Amino acid sequence: MSSAQPSLNPTRGMRDFYPADMAVRNHIFDAWRAASEHYGFQPYDAPVVESLDLLKRKSGEEIVNQIYAFNDKSGRELALRAEMTPTLARMVAARMGSLTLPIKWFTIAQCFRYERMTRGRKREHFQLNLDVIGETELTAEVEVIATALHSLTLMGLPPEKVSVRYNSRLLLSALLAFTGVLPEYHAATFLVLDKREKITAEQITELLTDAGLPEGQIEATMAVMRVETLSEAEAMLGPDAPAIAQISRFNHLLAQYGLEDRVSFDIGVIRGLSYYTGIVFEAFDSERSFRAIFGGGRYDNLLQDVGGKAETGVGLGFGDVVIGELLTELGCIDATPAAAEILVGYMQAEQTESAMRTANHFRNEGLTVDLALHAEKPKAFFGRAGKRPYRKAVYIGPDDVAKATIRLKNLDTREESEMPLPCAGC
Ligand code: HAM
């Protein structure tokens, strides 16, 4: 048997949350929840453990290679979820008959991906998921994007610090069809094009060859890669093409929320997940020094693919890691652990009961109260009270008990107010 102590660090890529880390996490989660509810999304949840088969079949190729998979004691092939979308599709498909569509749902899901660790990427993260299922109108895309942007405002991030870029897989498909790429190659082509900012043209050719595209089809794909602007795309497809009309309508709807300047077209946004079929989008910090803050899009076939009725969906995933780093870098976050409103302490063990009654009284009044667990000298007590953001303190000594009063001290103004010592149980 090894005598070495087990490591005190969490498993590589996993995260411990000490109280200061929880202050950051709660700041993000509170904004996510408030914004989601403000925009009319309902909460849902599901187990972290899913069937490997569901995740393997429904996630993009990139994610499939990152799945934490294992067998349970009965030999079932299981996995820790890498994303929430296949699970959501499974849940909705299971209740399709009884749900009134469209639905707007949100969750904060812990996800696991065996990723290469870089800035903004861990092997475990939390992700706000906002999804609308059963709505073909582009209002659904606008709602999820507007909600995510509102959560950023609630987090204290100035609007100019983040912008959203979008593209349309309908447009990309139309362009690929225009240059002669056959529809059966489009899905594989998207996944390769998604990597185009990270790899060379030769590597793209190699990946397209691996995906089974014949030489002529690769040349046709490269012609689409050379399209850089919406006007170039429009010149190829014509102003009446459905994909062009879709984009103008999307812009029109964004403008109703005043978001047209924060959400702009970028043909380079493709997304690495294979299930997207329509508008796809990603949010980035204005300096572009971090990975995507959130990303999502429309998926027309996923529900049917998991065995449900054909229904379209739109959604996004918004991780806590990148936004936490950005908020910290911009000084928009206070990592001071939360403290109760009142700290109650006492000088000698004889005042324990009086202090407990005092804490009980204020708690019954709905205030948050932290009670000292043993007697301490005034200097130690007030030193402790000053270190965390308590607003008030009550310190009970033998004189207070003799007079049957307590003094509630406002730690900001130093003012004291006197009141009767609460009785047992009140
Ligand atoms: P995704 O782009 O793979 O999409 O992830 C969404 C967001 O999750 C990213 O923009 C990032 O904020 C965060 N994220 C992803 N992987 C990591 C990681 N390893 N470490 C830290 N943060 C990470 C999806 O997952 C889709 N299922 C989103 C969606 C929902 N589409 C429709 N509905």
Side-chain angles (χ1 to χ4, degrees):
M1 235 168 65
S2 158
S3 60
Q5 294 288 334
S7 165
L8 295 179
N9 295 323
T11 303
R12 189 168 155 74
M14 306 294 165
R15 297 184 291 161
D16 289 332
F17 287 88
Y18 287 88
D21 308 310
M22 283 307 287
V24 175
R25 176 167 135 183
N26 284 340
H27 179 74
I28 295 170
F29 282 23
D30 289 350
W32 278 346
R33 273 193 212 101
S36 304
E37 284 166 6
H38 198 61
Y39 277 70
F41 286 80
Q42 288 183 302
Y44 73 100
D45 205 357
V48 171
V49 175
E50 263 296 352
S51 107
L52 177 62
D53 185 49
L54 178 82
L55 299 191
K56 246 181 158 165
R57 277 190 296 136
K58 300 308 154 206
S59 298
E61 183 202 348
E62 203 165 277
I63 292 188
V64 166
N65 295 328
Q66 298 169 340
I67 291 179
Y68 278 89
F70 59 98
N71 288 0
D72 73 5
K73 289 187 178 171
S74 310
R76 288 185 196 90
E77 293 195 311
L78 302 174
L80 300 181
R81 68 172 168 232
E83 56 162 338
M84 194 65 179
T85 317
T87 300
L88 171 67
R90 175 181 67 66
M91 285 172 69
V92 174
R95 295 271 172 99
M96 197 67 111
S98 57
L99 290 170
T100 308
L101 301 182
I103 51 168
K104 289 168 72 179
W105 285 5
F106 82 95
T107 193
I108 298 174
Q110 192 175 18
C111 299
F112 298 85
R113 298 182 188 180
Y114 194 81
E115 290 227 41
R116 210 165 57 81
M117 304 260 288
T118 55
R119 194 178 188 200
R121 286 292 176 270
K122 307 263 183 209
R123 292 186 175 160
E124 173 226 331
H125 70 283
F126 288 91
Q127 217 188 63
L128 168 70
N129 275 250
L130 292 164
D131 286 85
V132 180
I133 302 224
E135 181 53 66
T136 53
E137 242 293 19
L138 292 162
T139 43
E141 277 85 342
V142 177
E143 284 295 288
V144 293
I145 293 173
T147 308
L149 290 177
H150 184 62
S151 76
L152 289 172
T153 306
L154 296 181
M155 287 172 206
L157 200 75
E160 67 279 5
K161 293 293 179 194
V162 172
S163 63
V164 180
R165 290 144 195 252
Y166 75 89
N167 192 1
S168 156
R169 287 207 178 171
L170 191 66
L171 178 83
L172 289 168
S173 271
L175 289 171
L176 289 169
F178 180 84
T179 60
V181 180
L182 297 172
E184 62 258 40
Y185 296 124
H186 291 188
T189 310
F190 293 149
L191 299 185
V192 176
L193 290 183
D194 181 54
K195 302 191 173 76
R196 74 181 186 175
E197 279 175 11
K198 298 169 214 148
I199 60 178
T200 62
E202 288 73 41
Q203 286 170 312
I204 293 221
T205 308
E206 229 170 85
L207 288 176
L208 290 171
T209 312
D210 291 349
L213 269 76
E215 214 180 299
Q217 298 279 290
I218 294 178
E219 202 21 65
T221 304
M222 292 303 191
V224 173
M225 266 183 61
R226 287 189 284 274
V227 178
E228 282 185 352
T229 63
L230 188 55
S231 349
E232 282 171 56
E234 189 171 336
M236 286 163 97
L237 302 175
D240 299 329
I244 300 291
Q246 180 201 49
I247 287 174
S248 340
R249 172 131 187 95
F250 185 50
N251 282 328
H252 171 73
L253 294 177
L254 284 169
Q256 307 314 307
Y257 285 166
L259 293 177
E260 68 279 23
D261 295 333
R262 296 190 69 189
V263 186
S264 54
F265 179 81
D266 179 346
I267 200 149
V269 172
I270 296 174
R271 309 268 300 132
L273 294 161
S274 52
Y275 47 65
Y276 295 121
T277 49
I279 298 279
V280 281
F281 52 85
E282 273 175 346
F284 293 98
D285 64 291
S286 50
E287 309 292 319
R288 283 302 292 262
S289 47
F290 292 90
R291 302 272 301 257
I293 297 170
F294 63 77
R298 181 172 287 270
Y299 45 93
D300 281 333
N301 307 321
L302 189 59
L303 272 106
Q304 200 170 18
D305 287 351
V306 300
K309 223 168 91 222
E311 280 295 349
T312 183
V314 176
L316 63 80
F318 180 167
D320 65 326
V321 179
V322 172
I323 192 61
E325 289 173 356
L326 182 62
L327 289 168
T328 307
E329 188 173 288
L330 296 174
C332 298
I333 208 155
D334 178 5
T336 316
E341 287 159 289
I342 305 181
L343 178 64
V344 177
Y346 44 101
M347 199 181 284
Q348 300 155 339
E350 289 73 28
Q351 290 98 48
T352 306
E353 292 80 358
S354 297
M356 290 178 80
R357 284 184 222 151
T358 302
N360 193 47
H361 166 79
F362 287 121
R363 285 174 183 154
N364 285 345
E365 291 208 326
L367 295 164
T368 54
V369 181
D370 189 7
L371 172 72
L373 300 173
H374 56 251
E376 61 200 317
K377 298 226 158 65
K379 200 169 161 213
F381 173 80
F382 284 104
R384 212 155 61 76
K387 273 200 197 121
R388 293 202 15 217
Y390 297 105
R391 288 183 20 233
K392 293 180 176 169
V394 178
Y395 183 69
I396 304 174
D399 295 351
D400 298 301
V401 177
K403 276 169 53 195
T405 56
I406 54 168
R407 287 159 296 133
L408 181 61
K409 182 166 185 172
N410 183 318
L411 293 170
D412 292 328
T413 62
R414 308 263 136 206
E415 277 163 26
E416 277 189 352
S417 54
E418 205 174 83
M419 53 184 281
L421 178 68
C423 57
C426 37

